[in-house]
Amino acid sequence: DYAAISERVAAFAGEHAFALVETFAERLAATLREEFGIAWLALTVRKPGAVASASAVGVRITRGEPS
């Protein structure tokens, strides 16, 4: 249910503040996998404006085992 996941991502972002985008991604991935029973996911997180010389910084992680 993409709508429910999208709402949860927005709520998670509003509820938490992390200094590192990597920490945010790790915690969000764990939350989504636990709450939605996701066996495998690839998650990309970007933070626009974090570095003056780049349009955004970000990280892409994969967690779990693909079927």
Side-chain angles (χ1 to χ4, degrees):
D1 182 355
Y2 291 116
I5 291 173
S6 179
E7 289 175 14
R8 184 61 181 113
V9 170
F12 184 89
E15 296 165 356
H16 299 88
F18 299 103
L20 299 174
V21 69
E22 294 87 350
T23 304
F24 179 84
E26 288 288 349
R27 303 278 170 79
L28 176 59
T31 297
L32 294 176
R33 291 187 68 214
E34 179 180 321
E35 292 182 10
F36 291 95
I38 299 170
W40 179 85
L41 65 76
L43 177 67
T44 302
V45 176
R46 291 188 182 95
K47 185 175 182 180
V51 176
S53 61
S55 61
V57 297
V59 63
R60 179 176 171 88
I61 61 172
T62 57
R63 296 295 175 264
E65 295 294 325
S67 358

